[in-house]
Amino acid sequence: MLSIPEVVWGELLDAFALAPPAHERVAYLDGFRFRDADGILHGVATTVTVPDAATSPGRYTVTSAAMNQAGNHFERFGLVRLAQVHTHGGRHVRHSWVDDQQAYSQMDGALSLVLPHHAAGRPTPVHAGVHLRGPEGWTRVHGAGIHQVLRLVPSLIDHRSTPWTTSPTGTRGISKAGSRRSRIFSRWPWRSSSIRARPTRPTTSTPPGC
């Protein structure tokens, strides 16, 4: 199961929106893997990686050098590649034989998403063609099976019943300016304490006539 936070998916769509008109887009979802208590493997996407691909209408190419460059951050941040996302110009989201060959991985469990209309209209993963690599090659996942493979998860869950501008518990209200000063000092406690505790340097004077 791959979990994709909304904010990460939004970053991917924003990157795709910058591509030349009518060109195919391609990017990778990187993140972390872990096994739950039942031993089921999960992935959580944290990062969108856009390779230095050569793109054109109906085609994209990621060279070996560009693919290596797109993985240089793995060791530094402890990330792994979780999925590939690319676009088609029309409404079909099938994997062509070229898509099969150019996928980022041919290992069992590799995941490839295809978005229609070059991601116009900001589609969700549910609108994608979801393709899973297995022992027999790439197969498309349909219907309810998609929800067993990936999901979009919220980046913010807000349970507040009242705005924070009110003070239901009687806590003294803080102005926006005062709140900003509070954040600055709490962010750097060593600075505030050093300012308060800074000793004054003794001054010496030269007696007259010396």
Side-chain angles (χ1 to χ4, degrees):
M1 168 69 76
L2 172 61
S3 296
I4 309 172
E6 290 174 336
V7 67
V8 174
W9 186 254
E11 290 283 356
L12 180 140
L13 296 178
D14 289 345
F16 280 178
L18 299 175
H23 282 221
E24 288 203 359
R25 288 91 159 141
V26 61
Y28 307 116
L29 294 174
D30 302 334
F32 302 95
R33 285 198 183 103
F34 68 95
R35 291 190 181 275
D36 63 19
D38 297 322
I40 299 174
L41 186 64
H42 293 262
V44 179
T46 62
T47 305
V48 177
T49 300
V50 182
D52 187 19
T55 66
S56 63
R59 189 176 181 84
Y60 73 89
T61 302
V62 182
T63 64
S64 298
M67 183 64 79
N68 289 335
Q69 182 187 48
N72 283 342
H73 58 283
F74 287 167
E75 184 175 355
R76 179 182 177 188
F77 298 112
L79 303 181
V80 296
R81 186 132 296 154
L82 300 173
Q84 171 183 292
V85 186
H86 81 277
T87 69
H88 285 171
R91 61 184 178 86
H92 84 85
V93 288
R94 300 183 301 272
H95 243 213
S96 66
W97 66 270
V98 176
D99 292 335
D100 288 350
Q101 290 185 343
Q102 291 192 346
Y104 75 104
S105 173
Q106 300 298 334
M107 299 289 291
D108 289 357
L111 192 60
S112 174
L113 281 63
V114 183
L115 296 177
H117 305 296
H118 294 317
R122 301 184 72 82
T124 68
V126 175
H127 299 106
V130 179
H131 304 268
L132 189 64
R133 185 66 162 84
E136 304 302 320
W138 288 96
T139 58
R140 185 172 174 183
V141 182
H142 293 275
I146 294 176
H147 300 287
Q148 298 175 1
V149 174
L150 61 84
R151 60 183 177 179
L152 194 65
V153 298
S155 295
L156 172 66
I157 299 176
D158 190 345
H159 291 297
R160 290 176 294 177
S161 59
T162 56
W164 278 349
T165 53
T166 63
S167 182
T169 60
T171 304
R172 182 176 65 85
I174 301 175
S175 68
K176 187 176 294 185
S179 176
R180 182 176 180 276
R181 287 195 299 270
S182 175
R183 287 197 302 271
I184 291 173
F185 283 105
S186 63
R187 201 181 307 156
W188 302 104
W190 58 269
R191 290 191 62 185
S192 57
S193 61
S194 65
I195 291 172
R196 289 193 300 268
R198 181 180 294 169
T200 58
R201 179 178 296 179
T203 59
T204 59
S205 60
T206 304
C210 293

